[in-house]
Amino acid sequence: MGLQDRVSIQVKDAIAEAPGPACDLVYWKDALHHMLDARAAVFWSWQALKPGGIFFANEFVGPTHMQYTDRQLDLAEKVRRSLPEKYLVDPRQPSKRVPMRRTRPDLATFLSVDPTECADSSNILPAIRAFFPEAMVLPTGGVVYMLALNEILSNIHETEDAALLQVLMLADDLCIEAGETLYAVAHARR
């Protein structure tokens, strides 16, 4: 693609040092939610960009450490309760059903497994708005496709159940309209 002389890749803790404006693009894809301080990481991104440089993020922006709100859990439960029985089979234990209500992960266990998972995710969008006030932020859902369907999506056939999938994605869009999203895409220029 003719980019080999225009791209540099460095493997290091970039956040540990204050950058100068040297980058044309700062691209976060499922990594920003692992930063312990979202505000510091977004500020670093702003500092690293040349004037006119592009900031891009495609991230989990839901509750820190996946400590979902009662409203998010309620919406996911309503979706599960609306599904026919055949979709509620636990794929790992076909003789069992998945629970109707999802729960928040136990925080101590969650942190012992990976303390960086969704470490400061609830502060990503406020940080983007603080440093990139003109950013285009597009909520992309997740209350349905991630929270409600996580364990059971494999029970839904992509072509045979296309109409059901379309309705479920519409339900996720309605969650977004109601102010509930777990994921977002954002881009801005410095």
Side-chain angles (χ1 to χ4, degrees), residues 9-102:
I9 297 173
Q10 300 173 15
V11 178
K12 64 180 182 177
D13 182 357
I15 307 286
E17 55 189 69
C23 299
D24 295 308
L25 171 68
V26 172
Y27 180 86
W28 293 96
K29 171 68 171 96
D30 295 324
L32 183 55
H33 73 269
H34 285 277
M35 299 295 108
L36 298 176
D37 184 341
R39 187 174 175 85
V42 174
F43 178 58
W44 176 92
S45 302
W46 183 86
Q47 289 179 306
L49 286 169
K50 294 177 186 174
I54 297 171
F55 170 87
F56 180 86
N58 184 356
E59 288 293 332
F60 179 89
V61 296
T64 296
H65 301 305
M66 296 185 173
Q67 298 301 297
Y68 303 110
T69 66
D70 287 341
R71 184 173 185 206
Q72 291 164 343
L73 294 170
D74 290 346
L75 290 165
E77 181 179 356
K78 286 177 183 178
V79 169
R80 282 193 173 184
R81 289 194 181 284
S82 73
L83 294 172
E85 197 70 27
K86 71 178 187 174
Y87 299 114
L88 300 171
V89 172
D90 185 336
R92 293 174 301 240
Q93 299 177 44
S95 63
K96 296 185 177 186
R97 285 177 22 149
V98 295
M100 286 292 124
R101 181 142 183 108
R102 295 287 311 268

Side-chain angles (χ1 to χ4, degrees), residues 139-155:
T140 55
V143 171
V144 174
Y145 72 75
M146 193 280 250
L147 193 54
L149 300 179
N150 187 41
E151 301 100 342
I152 58 174
L153 191 55
S154 63
N155 295 340

